[in-house]
Amino acid sequence: MENKKIRRILPLCLSAVIAAGATSVVDHITLKGDVPAYAGMFGDVNGDGVVNASDAAVILQFAAWSGAGNDGDLAYYLAQRGIAQPTEPETVIPTEEVTEPPTEELTEPPTDPAEEVSDLYAALSAEWERTGDTSVIDLSKPLPNNPCAVVHKGKIYFRLTEYGMETTTIYAYDIATKELSSISLEGSSYNDKVLFSQEGYFYYKHSGGSLTKYDLEGNQLGSTGTLESYVISDTGYIFSSATYCTPDLEEKSFPDCVVKDSHGLDNTINMIICGLAYGSKCITYGNDKVTGKNSYYQFDASTGEWTLMPDSPLNKIGTGTTKSIGRYRIIYHDSSSYVYDTESDTMLAEKLPGDFGQTYFGGTSNIIMNVTIGEGCVFRRMKPLDGKNVFDRDNAVVICTDSSTSGSFLPLDDTYYLYTDAAGIFLRTYEKGAEGEELVYRFEQ
């Protein structure tokens, strides 16, 4: 009987203790499993809307009830006393508020206004990108220590003509490796001419009128018979006044150039000279014996056919080509230059500066050099005024000032030029001028 009283009084005493502020561990009172009871450990146990010491008191009362031998868990105990079964509060895991970084409004960087490119430069620069310089260039020069040079696939090819030489030597300077090599053309001599084709061949012209073809290693590929007034196309056809040669030097005779007159009768044209060649085609100047008129005629070696060109602009200016760029020919006539389109038989431009061909190296301008005795050379980028035989010097851009005064200058392309004096041949750039020059060839002292 005494023990029962103690059991009834104990929960009340403990409740009073907790109500008085005991919010930490209650000594010697444990739940099943020896788990100590804390105020607020189980949340709002008595359902009064707050979590405080009274909730811990309910837990202790449950502990005393359970210790008196009653069966049931806390939920059962609370239900028996009309206390709503506590529900586990929803656990809300705080999440970091993710804020998107402010996005910068992307704006295009300011660009220079687009360059106005004329139809002439648009066409020439596009063809230059496709084919480069396709001219056949004469590497012969009459003076010693004064080279004529050409750039081909990263190498500079040049010939030095020195008196007393029994053979012709071609030098090749590799811009990337800085190495100089030489090519001897067998049987050639100082007085003979050497032509360089951008297709990658040398043509040695003998004094008797024949040509010997070499590759870039100096290997002889064959020879032609005697040729007169010949021209070489960018694909290796050689056209003369009476015969022509295929790229493998097979010699053939021209078929008769026969055209119809106004009566439908055949007229045979007397060919006078071969003036311009491109691909497998050649343009010749001939005379119609019936009408007495001279005109241009085109021959295609791949088909063997002739075509009359009575309205060709070449009838006014001739075929004096100074530079070939793929389908285009820059022709010099009467102190002016003209750009002729071989595919459409039309003029792309007329009355350009006379030295237009020698000063164009691709892009949308020409590189002009002005040499002043005792002061050196100034290189400028210029454009010709439309329809006028002058350059637009007011808008010229200086790209290099070279103060060297004892030698000569030779522009090679849009990047490099050669400087030659008594010491040797030097490669320079428009960007640096004489600074950082490279020795290409050292003359014997």
Side-chain angles (χ1 to χ4, degrees), residues 213-227:
K213 187 176 182 178
Y214 296 86
D215 64 18
L216 296 184
E217 303 300 320
N219 300 309
Q220 189 174 135
L221 303 178
S223 297
T224 70
T226 301
L227 301 175

Side-chain angles (χ1 to χ4, degrees), residues 427-442:
L427 181 65
R428 298 177 179 179
T429 66
Y430 303 114
E431 180 183 3
K432 295 183 178 180
E435 181 183 351
E437 67 181 8
E438 299 175 15
L439 175 63
V440 173
Y441 184 88
R442 179 82 164 93

Side-chain angles (χ1 to χ4, degrees), residues 146-210:
N146 186 14
C148 182
V150 60
V151 179
H152 176 77
K153 294 184 177 179
K155 290 186 177 182
I156 303 170
Y157 293 91
F158 60 96
R159 176 188 183 187
L160 292 176
T161 55
E162 299 177 2
Y163 294 120
M165 294 178 64
E166 296 298 327
T167 61
T168 295
T169 300
I170 304 295
Y171 294 91
Y173 178 76
D174 192 311
I175 297 174
T177 65
K178 320 301 182 190
E179 296 179 352
L180 180 70
S181 57
S182 61
I183 306 161
S184 294
L185 306 185
E186 184 181 353
S188 58
S189 67
Y190 165 76
N191 292 319
D192 293 334
K193 179 179 288 190
V194 177
L195 305 173
F196 180 86
S197 168
Q198 285 285 5
E199 194 185 12
Y201 298 103
F202 297 109
Y203 293 91
Y204 177 81
K205 182 182 179 182
H206 299 274
S207 55
S210 63

Side-chain angles (χ1 to χ4, degrees), residues 227-230 239-244 254 271-274 284:
L227 301 175
E228 297 178 3
S229 305
Y230 65 87
F239 297 95
S240 183
S241 58
T243 62
Y244 67 94
F254 281 109
M271 288 186 298
I272 298 176
I273 189 170
C274 295
T284 67

